[in-house]
Amino acid sequence: MLALARFYDRVIAACGAVAAFCVVFVAIGISIDVAIRNTGFGVISWMLEGTEYALFVSTFLGAPWVLRLGAHVRVDVLVAGLAPRARLAMELFADAIGLAVSAVLFYYAVRVGATAYGDGARMIKELIFPEWYIFAVIAVAALLLCIEFVRRIAIVLRRPESAGAAAAKVGL
């Protein structure tokens, strides 16, 4: 079980690294493209589309990493004024909603991705590649989000005192 947990930690860290790489690619790629364009050397024809896909990938693969770190946006104004049991209930409710949404996203990404794969559908713009690649990124991210939400729920149920802001501090 410990080996599986370590593997999962590495997968989540890899998602964060890929998301960071995509952000760096966007920053450098756009800068180079603008410099080339402004000096009259032309354009990098695929750069705009490449940055669109990089933003997409960084958003989806970055989400499980950010959730794992507890660095996602939290609005604690309402929750801070609640009693500990109500705070726990709100934490569990939010995680359950997140789990449900992630599960639905996973289901549809797999379903549509399998159809795209079966049909041989392709994304045809400047870059040409199988459409199911897009849905694979969504499915992987949604599955990791599901796992992370289940993990968060299990930790809160095991240690109710870790709910809320304290949970974010320990990386829940």
Side-chain angles (χ1 to χ4, degrees):
M1 191 66 158
L2 188 58
L4 184 61
R6 280 194 208 126
F7 173 74
Y8 174 72
D9 288 342
R10 285 193 295 270
V11 169
I12 294 294
C15 286
V18 169
F21 173 80
C22 288
V23 170
V24 169
F25 168 77
V26 168
I28 292 172
I30 289 175
S31 298
I32 290 171
D33 193 39
V34 167
I36 290 172
R37 182 177 301 148
N38 287 337
T39 57
F41 290 109
V43 297
I44 302 172
S45 61
W46 52 267
M47 186 57 69
L48 180 61
E49 187 178 349
T51 58
E52 290 172 1
Y53 291 125
L55 289 171
F56 167 80
V57 168
S58 68
T59 299
F60 274 93
L61 292 185
W65 176 70
V66 168
L67 181 62
R68 176 64 183 265
L69 294 178
H72 55 288
V73 175
R74 294 178 61 104
V75 181
D76 289 333
V77 174
L78 172 69
V79 178
L82 296 175
R85 290 181 66 93
R87 199 172 324 149
L88 174 67
M90 291 290 283
E91 186 80 22
L92 290 173
F93 179 72
D95 288 339
I97 293 293
L99 174 59
V101 169
S102 298
V104 168
L105 188 60
F106 174 73
Y107 171 78
Y108 282 105
V110 169
R111 190 169 163 198
V112 174
T115 300
Y117 179 81
D119 292 346
R122 299 212 174 281
M123 297 293 291
I124 302 174
K125 290 165 73 175
E126 197 64 41
L127 302 172
I128 300 171
F129 58 90
E131 188 177 67
W132 68 267
Y133 288 7
I134 296 292
F135 297 105
V137 170
I138 297 170
V140 166
L143 178 62
L144 291 172
L145 285 168
C146 286
I147 293 168
E148 193 58 33
F149 279 118
V150 167
R151 183 183 154 279
R152 290 169 58 89
I153 290 168
I155 289 173
V156 170
L157 290 176
R158 203 172 332 126
R159 292 189 327 234
E161 71 280 358
S162 69
K169 289 180 186 172
V170 296
L172 194 114

Short mmCIF file of all heavy atoms in Angstrom, two decimals, residues 53-93:
data_model
loop_
_atom_site.label_atom_id
_atom_site.label_comp_id
_atom_site.label_asym_id
_atom_site.label_seq_id
_atom_site.Cartn_x
_atom_site.Cartn_y
_atom_site.Cartn_z
N TYR A 53 -3.38 24.68 -26.55
CA TYR A 53 -3.35 23.32 -26.00
C TYR A 53 -2.54 23.26 -24.71
O TYR A 53 -2.89 22.52 -23.79
CB TYR A 53 -2.81 22.33 -27.04
CG TYR A 53 -3.75 22.13 -28.19
CD1 TYR A 53 -3.33 22.32 -29.49
CD2 TYR A 53 -5.08 21.76 -27.99
CE1 TYR A 53 -4.19 22.14 -30.56
CE2 TYR A 53 -5.95 21.58 -29.04
CZ TYR A 53 -5.51 21.77 -30.34
OH TYR A 53 -6.37 21.60 -31.39
N ALA A 54 -1.47 24.03 -24.63
CA ALA A 54 -0.66 24.06 -23.41
C ALA A 54 -1.46 24.61 -22.24
O ALA A 54 -1.38 24.09 -21.12
CB ALA A 54 0.61 24.87 -23.63
N LEU A 55 -2.25 25.65 -22.48
CA LEU A 55 -3.11 26.19 -21.42
C LEU A 55 -4.15 25.17 -20.98
O LEU A 55 -4.44 25.02 -19.79
CB LEU A 55 -3.78 27.48 -21.88
CG LEU A 55 -2.86 28.69 -22.01
CD1 LEU A 55 -3.59 29.85 -22.68
CD2 LEU A 55 -2.33 29.10 -20.66
N PHE A 56 -4.70 24.46 -21.95
CA PHE A 56 -5.68 23.40 -21.66
C PHE A 56 -5.05 22.32 -20.79
O PHE A 56 -5.59 21.93 -19.76
CB PHE A 56 -6.18 22.83 -22.99
CG PHE A 56 -6.94 21.55 -22.86
CD1 PHE A 56 -8.26 21.55 -22.48
CD2 PHE A 56 -6.33 20.34 -23.13
CE1 PHE A 56 -8.97 20.36 -22.36
CE2 PHE A 56 -7.01 19.15 -23.02
CZ PHE A 56 -8.34 19.16 -22.63
N VAL A 57 -3.88 21.83 -21.21
CA VAL A 57 -3.21 20.75 -20.48
C VAL A 57 -2.81 21.23 -19.08
O VAL A 57 -2.99 20.51 -18.10
CB VAL A 57 -1.99 20.23 -21.27
CG1 VAL A 57 -1.11 19.32 -20.41
CG2 VAL A 57 -2.45 19.49 -22.52
N SER A 58 -2.28 22.44 -18.99
CA SER A 58 -1.86 22.94 -17.67
C SER A 58 -3.04 23.10 -16.72
O SER A 58 -2.92 22.84 -15.53
CB SER A 58 -1.09 24.25 -17.80
OG SER A 58 -1.93 25.30 -18.23
N THR A 59 -4.18 23.49 -17.25
CA THR A 59 -5.37 23.64 -16.42
C THR A 59 -5.84 22.28 -15.90
O THR A 59 -6.08 22.12 -14.70
CB THR A 59 -6.50 24.32 -17.21
OG1 THR A 59 -6.05 25.61 -17.62
CG2 THR A 59 -7.76 24.44 -16.38
N PHE A 60 -5.97 21.32 -16.80
CA PHE A 60 -6.50 20.02 -16.37
C PHE A 60 -5.50 19.23 -15.53
O PHE A 60 -5.88 18.67 -14.51
CB PHE A 60 -6.98 19.21 -17.58
CG PHE A 60 -8.39 19.54 -17.95
CD1 PHE A 60 -8.65 20.50 -18.90
CD2 PHE A 60 -9.46 18.93 -17.33
CE1 PHE A 60 -9.95 20.84 -19.24
CE2 PHE A 60 -10.76 19.25 -17.65
CZ PHE A 60 -11.01 20.21 -18.61
N LEU A 61 -4.25 19.15 -15.94
CA LEU A 61 -3.29 18.36 -15.17
C LEU A 61 -2.82 19.10 -13.92
O LEU A 61 -2.38 18.46 -12.96
CB LEU A 61 -2.10 17.96 -16.04
CG LEU A 61 -2.42 16.95 -17.14
CD1 LEU A 61 -1.14 16.53 -17.86
CD2 LEU A 61 -3.16 15.73 -16.61
N GLY A 62 -2.94 20.41 -13.92
CA GLY A 62 -2.58 21.16 -12.72
C GLY A 62 -3.62 21.04 -11.62
O GLY A 62 -3.30 21.17 -10.44
N ALA A 63 -4.86 20.77 -11.98
CA ALA A 63 -5.95 20.74 -11.00
C ALA A 63 -5.74 19.68 -9.89
O ALA A 63 -5.89 20.01 -8.71
CB ALA A 63 -7.29 20.53 -11.70
N PRO A 64 -5.40 18.43 -10.22
CA PRO A 64 -5.19 17.46 -9.13
C PRO A 64 -4.01 17.84 -8.23
O PRO A 64 -4.05 17.64 -7.02
CB PRO A 64 -4.91 16.14 -9.85
CG PRO A 64 -5.35 16.32 -11.25
CD PRO A 64 -5.30 17.79 -11.53
N TRP A 65 -2.98 18.39 -8.82
CA TRP A 65 -1.80 18.81 -8.06
C TRP A 65 -2.17 19.94 -7.09
O TRP A 65 -1.80 19.92 -5.91
CB TRP A 65 -0.70 19.22 -9.03
CG TRP A 65 0.53 19.75 -8.41
CD1 TRP A 65 1.46 19.06 -7.68
CD2 TRP A 65 0.99 21.10 -8.46
NE1 TRP A 65 2.46 19.91 -7.28
CE2 TRP A 65 2.20 21.17 -7.75
CE3 TRP A 65 0.49 22.26 -9.05
CZ2 TRP A 65 2.92 22.34 -7.61
CZ3 TRP A 65 1.21 23.42 -8.91
CH2 TRP A 65 2.41 23.45 -8.19
N VAL A 66 -2.89 20.92 -7.59
CA VAL A 66 -3.31 22.06 -6.76
C VAL A 66 -4.24 21.59 -5.65
O VAL A 66 -4.12 22.01 -4.50
CB VAL A 66 -3.98 23.16 -7.63
CG1 VAL A 66 -4.66 24.20 -6.78
CG2 VAL A 66 -2.94 23.81 -8.53
N LEU A 67 -5.16 20.68 -5.97
CA LEU A 67 -6.08 20.16 -4.95
C LEU A 67 -5.29 19.41 -3.89
O LEU A 67 -5.56 19.54 -2.69
CB LEU A 67 -7.13 19.24 -5.59
CG LEU A 67 -8.16 18.64 -4.65
CD1 LEU A 67 -9.00 19.74 -3.99
CD2 LEU A 67 -9.05 17.67 -5.40
N ARG A 68 -4.32 18.63 -4.30
CA ARG A 68 -3.50 17.87 -3.35
C ARG A 68 -2.78 18.80 -2.38
O ARG A 68 -2.67 18.53 -1.19
CB ARG A 68 -2.49 17.02 -4.12
CG ARG A 68 -1.51 16.25 -3.25
CD ARG A 68 -2.28 15.24 -2.41
NE ARG A 68 -1.45 14.52 -1.51
CZ ARG A 68 -0.92 13.34 -1.75
NH1 ARG A 68 -1.14 12.75 -2.90
NH2 ARG A 68 -0.19 12.75 -0.85
N LEU A 69 -2.28 19.91 -2.90
CA LEU A 69 -1.56 20.87 -2.06
C LEU A 69 -2.49 21.71 -1.19
O LEU A 69 -2.04 22.41 -0.30
CB LEU A 69 -0.72 21.80 -2.93
CG LEU A 69 0.43 21.18 -3.70
CD1 LEU A 69 1.13 22.23 -4.55
CD2 LEU A 69 1.41 20.50 -2.76
N GLY A 70 -3.78 21.67 -1.50
CA GLY A 70 -4.72 22.52 -0.79
C GLY A 70 -4.56 23.97 -1.19
O GLY A 70 -4.90 24.88 -0.44
N ALA A 71 -4.03 24.20 -2.39
CA ALA A 71 -3.76 25.56 -2.86
C ALA A 71 -4.87 26.10 -3.74
O ALA A 71 -4.73 27.15 -4.33
CB ALA A 71 -2.43 25.58 -3.63
N HIS A 72 -5.97 25.38 -3.83
CA HIS A 72 -7.10 25.84 -4.62
C HIS A 72 -7.80 26.99 -3.90
O HIS A 72 -7.56 27.23 -2.73
CB HIS A 72 -8.07 24.69 -4.88
CG HIS A 72 -8.53 24.01 -3.63
ND1 HIS A 72 -7.69 23.21 -2.89
CD2 HIS A 72 -9.70 24.03 -2.99
CE1 HIS A 72 -8.36 22.76 -1.83
NE2 HIS A 72 -9.57 23.25 -1.86
N VAL A 73 -8.63 27.67 -4.62
CA VAL A 73 -9.34 28.82 -4.05
C VAL A 73 -10.36 28.33 -3.03
O VAL A 73 -11.16 27.43 -3.30
CB VAL A 73 -10.05 29.63 -5.15
CG1 VAL A 73 -10.87 30.75 -4.55
CG2 VAL A 73 -9.03 30.18 -6.14
N ARG A 74 -10.30 28.90 -1.85
CA ARG A 74 -11.25 28.56 -0.79
C ARG A 74 -11.88 29.84 -0.28
O ARG A 74 -11.19 30.84 -0.10
CB ARG A 74 -10.54 27.88 0.37
CG ARG A 74 -9.96 26.53 0.05
CD ARG A 74 -9.23 25.96 1.24
NE ARG A 74 -10.11 25.77 2.37
CZ ARG A 74 -10.58 24.59 2.77
NH1 ARG A 74 -10.25 23.52 2.12
NH2 ARG A 74 -11.37 24.51 3.80
N VAL A 75 -13.15 29.79 -0.04
CA VAL A 75 -13.85 30.93 0.55
C VAL A 75 -14.22 30.50 1.96
O VAL A 75 -15.18 29.77 2.17
CB VAL A 75 -15.09 31.32 -0.28
CG1 VAL A 75 -15.78 32.52 0.36
CG2 VAL A 75 -14.70 31.61 -1.71
N ASP A 76 -13.43 30.95 2.93
CA ASP A 76 -13.59 30.51 4.31
C ASP A 76 -14.40 31.48 5.16
O ASP A 76 -14.55 31.26 6.35
CB ASP A 76 -12.22 30.30 4.95
CG ASP A 76 -11.51 29.10 4.40
OD1 ASP A 76 -12.18 28.16 3.93
OD2 ASP A 76 -10.26 29.09 4.43
N VAL A 77 -14.92 32.53 4.57
CA VAL A 77 -15.66 33.53 5.35
C VAL A 77 -16.85 32.89 6.04
O VAL A 77 -17.06 33.05 7.24
CB VAL A 77 -16.09 34.71 4.44
CG1 VAL A 77 -16.97 35.68 5.21
CG2 VAL A 77 -14.88 35.41 3.88
N LEU A 78 -17.64 32.15 5.29
CA LEU A 78 -18.82 31.49 5.85
C LEU A 78 -18.42 30.37 6.79
O LEU A 78 -18.92 30.26 7.91
CB LEU A 78 -19.72 30.94 4.73
CG LEU A 78 -20.88 30.06 5.18
CD1 LEU A 78 -21.92 30.91 5.91
CD2 LEU A 78 -21.50 29.37 3.99
N VAL A 79 -17.50 29.54 6.37
CA VAL A 79 -17.12 28.36 7.12
C VAL A 79 -16.43 28.72 8.43
O VAL A 79 -16.60 28.05 9.44
CB VAL A 79 -16.22 27.44 6.25
CG1 VAL A 79 -15.77 26.22 7.02
CG2 VAL A 79 -16.94 27.03 4.99
N ALA A 80 -15.66 29.80 8.45
CA ALA A 80 -14.91 30.19 9.65
C ALA A 80 -15.83 30.49 10.83
O ALA A 80 -15.45 30.27 11.98
CB ALA A 80 -14.04 31.40 9.35
N GLY A 81 -17.02 30.94 10.57
CA GLY A 81 -17.94 31.28 11.65
C GLY A 81 -18.79 30.12 12.13
O GLY A 81 -19.57 30.28 13.07
N LEU A 82 -18.61 28.96 11.54
CA LEU A 82 -19.42 27.80 11.92
C LEU A 82 -18.80 27.02 13.07
O LEU A 82 -17.60 27.07 13.30
CB LEU A 82 -19.59 26.86 10.71
CG LEU A 82 -20.35 27.41 9.51
CD1 LEU A 82 -20.32 26.39 8.38
CD2 LEU A 82 -21.78 27.75 9.89
N ALA A 83 -19.65 26.26 13.73
CA ALA A 83 -19.18 25.35 14.77
C ALA A 83 -18.36 24.24 14.12
O ALA A 83 -18.54 23.95 12.93
CB ALA A 83 -20.38 24.76 15.52
N PRO A 84 -17.47 23.60 14.87
CA PRO A 84 -16.61 22.56 14.29
C PRO A 84 -17.37 21.46 13.55
O PRO A 84 -16.94 21.03 12.48
CB PRO A 84 -15.85 22.01 15.50
CG PRO A 84 -15.81 23.14 16.46
CD PRO A 84 -17.11 23.87 16.26
N ARG A 85 -18.48 21.00 14.09
CA ARG A 85 -19.24 19.93 13.42
C ARG A 85 -19.84 20.42 12.11
O ARG A 85 -19.84 19.70 11.11
CB ARG A 85 -20.33 19.37 14.33
CG ARG A 85 -19.77 18.58 15.50
CD ARG A 85 -20.89 18.03 16.38
NE ARG A 85 -21.70 17.04 15.69
CZ ARG A 85 -21.48 15.72 15.73
NH1 ARG A 85 -20.47 15.27 16.44
NH2 ARG A 85 -22.27 14.90 15.10
N ALA A 86 -20.33 21.64 12.10
CA ALA A 86 -20.88 22.20 10.86
C ALA A 86 -19.77 22.44 9.84
O ALA A 86 -19.97 22.21 8.64
CB ALA A 86 -21.61 23.51 11.17
N ARG A 87 -18.61 22.86 10.32
CA ARG A 87 -17.46 23.04 9.43
C ARG A 87 -17.06 21.71 8.79
O ARG A 87 -16.77 21.63 7.60
CB ARG A 87 -16.29 23.61 10.23
CG ARG A 87 -15.25 24.26 9.40
CD ARG A 87 -14.22 24.99 10.23
NE ARG A 87 -14.83 25.63 11.39
CZ ARG A 87 -14.23 25.82 12.54
NH1 ARG A 87 -12.98 25.45 12.70
NH2 ARG A 87 -14.84 26.40 13.54
N LEU A 88 -17.05 20.66 9.59
CA LEU A 88 -16.75 19.31 9.09
C LEU A 88 -17.77 18.90 8.04
O LEU A 88 -17.41 18.37 6.98
CB LEU A 88 -16.74 18.31 10.25
CG LEU A 88 -16.58 16.85 9.88
CD1 LEU A 88 -15.19 16.61 9.31
CD2 LEU A 88 -16.80 15.97 11.10
N ALA A 89 -19.03 19.15 8.31
CA ALA A 89 -20.10 18.80 7.35
C ALA A 89 -19.92 19.57 6.04
O ALA A 89 -20.09 18.99 4.96
CB ALA A 89 -21.47 19.08 7.96
N MET A 90 -19.58 20.85 6.13
CA MET A 90 -19.37 21.65 4.92
C MET A 90 -18.17 21.13 4.13
O MET A 90 -18.21 21.06 2.91
CB MET A 90 -19.14 23.12 5.28
CG MET A 90 -20.38 23.81 5.81
SD MET A 90 -21.62 24.06 4.55
CE MET A 90 -20.93 25.43 3.68
N GLU A 91 -17.11 20.77 4.83
CA GLU A 91 -15.92 20.22 4.17
C GLU A 91 -16.26 18.93 3.43
O GLU A 91 -15.90 18.75 2.27
CB GLU A 91 -14.82 19.96 5.21
CG GLU A 91 -13.50 19.55 4.63
CD GLU A 91 -12.70 20.71 4.11
OE1 GLU A 91 -12.92 21.85 4.54
OE2 GLU A 91 -11.84 20.47 3.24
N LEU A 92 -16.97 18.06 4.10
CA LEU A 92 -17.37 16.79 3.47
C LEU A 92 -18.33 17.03 2.31
O LEU A 92 -18.22 16.37 1.27
CB LEU A 92 -18.01 15.87 4.51
CG LEU A 92 -17.04 15.30 5.55
CD1 LEU A 92 -17.81 14.54 6.63
CD2 LEU A 92 -16.01 14.40 4.89
N PHE A 93 -19.24 17.96 2.47
CA PHE A 93 -20.19 18.28 1.40
C PHE A 93 -19.46 18.81 0.17
O PHE A 93 -19.71 18.38 -0.96
CB PHE A 93 -21.22 19.30 1.89
CG PHE A 93 -22.22 19.71 0.85
CD1 PHE A 93 -23.21 18.84 0.43
CD2 PHE A 93 -22.15 20.98 0.28
CE1 PHE A 93 -24.12 19.23 -0.55
CE2 PHE A 93 -23.05 21.37 -0.70
CZ PHE A 93 -24.05 20.49 -1.11
#
